[in-house]
Amino acid sequence: MALLVVGSVALDSVETPFGTRGEVLGGSATYFSTCASFFGPVRLVAVVGEDFPEEHVAFLRSRGVDLAGLSRRPGRTFRWSGRYEFDLNQAHTLDTQLNVFADFRPELPESYRDSTHVFLGNIDPDLQLRVVEQVRSPRFVAADTMNFWIASKRPSLLQALRRVDLLFVNDAEARQLAGEHNVVRAARAILSFGPKAVVVKRGEYGALYFSGEEVFAASAYPLPELFDPTGAGDSFAGGFMGYLARRSAVDHGVMRRAIVLGGVLASFAVERFSVERLRDLTTDEIRRRYGEFRRLTHFEDLELDVLA
Amino acid sequence: MALLVVGSVALDSVETPFGTRGEVLGGSATYFSTCASFFGPVRLVAVVGEDFPEEHVAFLRSRGVDLAGLSRRPGRTFRWSGRYEFDLNQAHTLDTQLNVFADFRPELPESYRDSTHVFLGNIDPDLQLRVVEQVRSPRFVAADTMNFWIASKRPSLLQALRRVDLLFVNDAEARQLAGEHNVVRAARAILSFGPKAVVVKRGEYGALYFSGEEVFAASAYPLPELFDPTGAGDSFAGGFMGYLARRSAVDHGVMRRAIVLGGVLASFAVERFSVERLRDLTTDEIRRRYGEFRRLTHFEDLELDVLA
């Protein structure tokens, strides 16, 4: 089993009510691969510019991320800057400089083509398709997308969705993609587009999973300190896919544990800026917080005598 | 064990994207007592005008609600009218006519004064205090409040909170009351005001329960059809308190089941306008949906071999 991610490796500048950070390590493939690396190796496909700090490359390598697919191109690295108000569910983009990312045409190294699990980070759906077509026989493909692609490249996105086993979207994106306000009916509409499953991410409220008749509601971990939501969605996907790639059989129980682990990794990622919290995170902490998620949400059967 | 509720009995006019209803049965004490009545008898304290339809009185009586405390006064019944957009989490009040409710001075019939469980619906905190002082030895007092009282009668509200075991608030109210955006820290601040527990209601996302070190996150039931959110909070409180009044001992497990039952009753209430769905609701349906809430949220322990 081998896990592949395609996405961005970026330098982020972030303002939140709790502070600011300039040009720190970010990008969907960064968060994803760092979080997935707690479960096993990850193969990364992305592009950076000549200015990308070597220390970040060293960090990803130290996490066991295979960087054969990380190409360094002439020019500057992709930069994103954004601000969060007190409502940390909502990112306000201040500036996007695509730089080398503008001409990103992902090419998989030959050594990646036997990947079994694939995460298509939030990039142009034509590029997502290009990646999945280079994988010989993927067993499980998950994808992320965003409002921009839903609005501007809908036909390509729908084509990509037919190759995807699971789609990650937030609730606004689910509504936009389905043209339906009710989240349950939006999820069912998305399933009719091709994916076998959909995870609707709801920020600080958790996530809903839909697949056929199966519905799972996962709570987010109520954090007293939440510094920077950047990368929460990709951390979620990283925890989810990292775990899934370790399981030979997939059933509803495995999917539920994968979703909870997504929430666990996301809950750590947002505790500090950038990937700071993930640098010293231990597998014991992951296991402990998984247990806290269970204690947080579980309850017993109802007694027989309580209804009149 | 005997359960008492003080609150409003009203005629509501509601617009939602799914239809409109004029002058239908509403009010916090109505929703609360109807939902609590599935667990046992409820004593109601409220006021209505001369125009209040006898059929509504008959309905409440048919649900086993003790109406010794329902006074009928000269004048018109309290009327509320509101509109919901597609975001059903947010009510827009169009008109409030207090009518007889403006001079409401709750007086408990002697037969109510031995009540063990008390729910103080969303009324002036001075009146909430007045009610709780008339109960000889309450075992468990819960209260609801709203932004209007938090802003305009804060000292009275804080005084009432010292007599309250549990406060129900939505997340915006929790933030406003605590002066703190983070919901975990807001809840802790509220606990420092007196209540032993706080339930933060989050609409379609569920609810969080805080008491000492205990935290419980309850998901809402993802409904494909949601017609009218009016009364969801009071239905939640009704399911919660109705169950609690049937339990002689209260521990964390009981509180968790109470919260889930609150969510169960609220999930039914919003399926139709007014209390329509509650009219033919059965205890079997309540028990079945409780089971669905468990299946919706539970997951197994993590395998030992999955973390690298």
Side-chain angles (χ1 to χ4, degrees), chain A residues 18 37-40 86-88 171 175 181-185 188 202 204-205 208 210 215-220 222-226 243 246-247 254 256-257 260-261 283 286-287 290 293-308, chain B residues 18 37-40 86-88 171 175 181-185 188 202 204-205 208 210 215-220 222-226 243 246-247 254 256-257 260-261 283 286-287 290 293-308:
Chain A
F18 313 107
S37 72
F38 289 95
F39 301 88
F86 274 103
D87 177 2
L88 295 165
D171 36 11
R175 289 176 171 127
H181 191 87
N182 179 281
V183 73
V184 179
R185 279 182 285 157
R188 287 183 189 155
R202 308 166 115 187
E204 63 168 313
Y205 303 114
L208 291 174
F210 298 88
V215 185
F216 176 53
S219 284
L223 288 165
E225 308 277 346
L226 193 163
Y243 168 75
R246 294 289 296 253
R247 302 285 83 194
V254 167
R256 286 175 177 233
R257 294 194 286 281
V260 174
L261 282 164
T283 55
I286 293 172
R287 192 174 289 285
Y290 183 97
F293 268 81
R294 277 198 92 203
R295 279 189 294 283
L296 179 73
T297 53
H298 279 218
F299 53 95
E300 299 302 314
D301 267 335
L302 199 55
E303 304 92 328
L304 287 171
D305 63 340
V306 295
L307 283 153
Chain B
F18 313 107
S37 71
F38 289 95
F39 301 88
F86 273 103
D87 177 2
L88 295 165
D171 36 11
R175 290 175 171 130
H181 192 87
N182 179 281
V183 73
V184 179
R185 278 183 285 158
R188 287 182 190 157
R202 307 166 115 188
E204 63 169 313
Y205 302 113
L208 290 174
F210 298 88
V215 186
F216 176 53
S219 284
L223 288 165
E225 308 277 345
L226 194 163
Y243 168 75
R246 294 286 298 254
R247 303 285 82 195
V254 167
R256 285 174 177 233
R257 294 194 286 281
V260 174
L261 282 165
T283 54
I286 293 172
R287 191 175 289 286
Y290 183 96
F293 267 82
R294 278 197 92 203
R295 278 189 295 284
L296 180 71
T297 54
H298 279 218
F299 53 95
E300 299 303 313
D301 267 334
L302 199 55
E303 304 92 328
L304 287 172
D305 62 341
V306 294
L307 284 153

Side-chain angles (χ1 to χ4, degrees), chain B residues 3-8 28-30 32-33 42-46 65 112 115 117-121 131:
Chain B
L3 173 57
L4 170 74
V5 54
V6 58
S8 59
S28 60
T30 301
F32 179 93
S33 59
V42 191
R43 297 162 170 180
L44 179 146
V45 179
V65 180
Y112 281 16
S115 297
H117 291 69
V118 180
F119 178 64
L120 307 169
V131 168

